[in-house]
């Protein structure tokens, strides 16, 4: 295989395309130049461009629409089920392991949000929380809106890695969700409100504590569910 | 678009293929049945199978090799750069944000490893550590072997999500690594040894503390590097 700086040519072309996307500040939905123009610009053959574009499609950075062209993906490079959790199964173990990871990540996420959230972010978190609480009280499936609440907190941390990780974990919770989707209690509402209040007053320790309590509640609920299922087996 | 249980047909077919991979305990490198057989088995058209297989290739679950067939991917569903960090840039900010995430994840990972690692895992972690230390002392680029050391600790937690997450973060460190790859000091060696010793004696708090010290050292190093660069700008 032909190489450039010890890197396969198509991989080097893919890196060049990423660099191009970044320096031109291209946004999801923007259209990439065609194969011919790219080949000229990157100084490689069209088959190399094709291979590079395909690898970037695999990485959810580009989306190829037959007949329409190649576009910047809406996913911003984040894969669907990036941890491959759908391959692991949907057992109870996974649900608990996910909660253990949430317990590691999200209290710190809440604490950082309390430190870094600006007024607009606080308003949006608060609005989203009212939406979730409304759905809980109406007995609706609030899983997606709840995930969005946790995502907004992660984004307010201003740590771009946490902002990507928390939604991935939340999305994975969705993959294993049957057992977690119906814990619709007044204590959930109360912990959510405590989280929002602590973030609003810039209270990092308060936000961390309330998030720990919230996730602990989920954990206890799931363990009870597992025990209940076992009794009926 | 045709649907099944409210899900696009190709997506439902993709889910069926995942289910098939799981129930047949298929391993990376195993070959999938051909399009014709899959279509018959899943009771859908060949174009639906083609679309489903392509979507699973995008998710790094399958690998299509032209002329040879379709195989279970070596990546086990984990994407290359699954967080899309290559799109974010390689600035100093990202390097620090990654370290902040490591500081959240890895001390707990070390503590859980101290609790759950079995004899074989302890031996492997210890062997890998000697390899890394050897490379540090010879002044070699030890980034990949160091990432493997941290990955083995993550796997020993027995939490399958942590086992996936830590390598993703380590891989992302690689994407931004220029500034982090050459901190080759005797204190690094000492902290690594403290981590291994604590895991070996099942000392969760010791493993957590040593990991905090290790990552802190990296953080201080990077902040000094950033300041040094700024002075020369």
């Amino acid at each position: 295989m032909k190489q450039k700086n010890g890197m396969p040519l198509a991989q080097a072309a893919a890196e060049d395309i990423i660099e191009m996307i970044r320096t031109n500040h291209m946004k999801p939905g923007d259209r990439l130049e065609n194969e011919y123009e790219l080949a000229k610009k990157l100084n490689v053959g069209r088959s190399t461009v094709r291979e590079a574009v395909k690898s970037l499609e695999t990485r959810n950075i580009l989306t190829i629409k037959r007949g329409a062209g190649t576009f910047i993906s809406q996913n911003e490079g984040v894969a669907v089920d990036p941890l491959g959790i759908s391959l692991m199964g949907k057992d109870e173990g996974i649900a608990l392991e996910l909660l253990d990871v949430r317990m590691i990540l999200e209290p710190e996420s809440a604490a950082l949000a309390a430190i870094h959230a600006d007024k607009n972010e606080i308003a949006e978190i608060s609005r989203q929380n009212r939406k979730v609480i409304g759905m809980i009280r109406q007995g609706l499936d609030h899983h997606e809106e709840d995930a969005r609440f946790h995502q907004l907190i992660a984004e307010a941390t201003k740590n771009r890695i946490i902002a990507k990780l928390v939604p991935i974990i939340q999305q994975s919770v969705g993959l294993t969700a049957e057992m977690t989707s119906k814990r619709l209690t007044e204590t959930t509402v109360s912990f959510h409100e405590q989280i929002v209040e602590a973030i609003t007053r810039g209270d990092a320790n308060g936000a961390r504590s309330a998030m720990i309590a919230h996730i602990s509640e989920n954990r206890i609920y799931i363990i009870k569910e597992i025990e209940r299922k076992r009794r009926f087996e």
Side-chain angles (χ1 to χ4, degrees), chain A:
Chain A
M1 195 181 275
K2 280 181 285 182
Q3 306 226 328
K4 175 186 162 182
N5 301 331
M7 200 188 270
L9 207 50
Q11 198 184 326
E15 294 301 317
D16 289 346
I17 292 172
I18 289 176
E19 195 54 37
M20 213 176 75
I21 293 171
R22 276 177 33 213
T23 52
N24 296 341
H25 303 290
M26 292 177 82
K27 295 260 162 293
D30 286 355
R31 189 176 165 173
L32 210 66
E33 289 162 288
N34 68 33
E35 211 172 276
Y36 173 79
E37 287 159 346
L38 279 174
K40 215 167 62 176
K41 194 173 268 182
L42 304 178
N43 198 22
V44 293
R46 290 177 64 173
S47 68
T48 302
V49 168
R50 207 171 303 131
E51 202 184 320
V53 166
K54 201 173 169 240
S55 81
L56 292 175
E57 187 187 29
T58 305
R59 288 166 62 182
N60 293 286
I61 289 173
L62 297 177
T63 304
I64 304 168
K65 294 182 186 166
R66 212 161 284 275
T70 299
F71 300 83
I72 312 299
S73 165
Q74 298 294 343
N75 293 352
E76 303 191 50
V78 174
V80 176
D81 182 24
L83 304 179
I85 288 173
S86 54
L87 281 179
M88 291 183 200
K90 301 184 179 187
D91 57 276
E92 298 150 347
I94 290 274
L96 275 178
E97 287 162 41
L98 272 167
L99 264 183
D100 287 347
V101 172
R102 290 190 58 194
M103 192 61 117
I104 294 171
L105 268 180
E106 295 203 42
E108 286 315 303
S109 170
L112 287 168
I115 295 168
H116 297 294
D118 61 33
K119 274 188 183 173
N120 291 333
E121 288 166 328
I122 291 172
E124 208 185 346
I125 290 168
S126 180
R127 202 180 315 123
Q128 184 64 23
N129 186 42
R130 284 195 298 274
K131 198 167 176 181
V132 175
I133 290 179
M135 295 180 84
I136 291 180
R137 295 227 163 110
Q138 291 174 67
L140 300 172
D141 177 0
H142 63 295
H143 176 264
E144 261 180 55
E145 297 300 337
D146 184 57
R148 176 88 186 128
F149 171 71
H150 289 272
Q151 182 179 342
L152 287 171
I153 292 172
E155 286 170 5
T157 64
K158 306 290 196 294
N159 182 308
R160 288 166 284 181
I161 318 296
I162 295 177
K164 296 269 187 175
L165 273 184
V166 168
I168 287 173
I169 303 296
Q170 290 286 341
Q171 176 193 323
S172 303
V173 171
L175 293 172
T176 66
E178 286 140 51
M179 80 173 5
T180 54
S181 64
K182 280 185 181 157
R183 45 182 167 70
L184 317 171
T185 69
E186 280 303 313
T187 44
T188 304
V189 171
S190 154
F191 287 135
H192 262 229
E193 276 172 350
Q194 285 173 39
I195 293 166
V196 175
E197 282 161 17
I199 290 175
T200 304
R201 65 175 182 268
D203 173 3
N205 286 330
R208 183 189 293 111
S209 305
M211 186 64 87
I212 290 173
H214 175 42
I215 301 178
S216 293
E217 189 202 14
N218 286 357
R219 198 172 195 289
I220 290 164
Y221 173 86
I222 288 194
I223 287 181
K224 281 191 186 150
E225 274 297 288
I226 292 174
E227 284 169 354
R228 204 176 54 82
K229 276 194 182 177
R230 289 215 180 117
R231 274 201 301 279
F232 285 98
E233 262 168 22

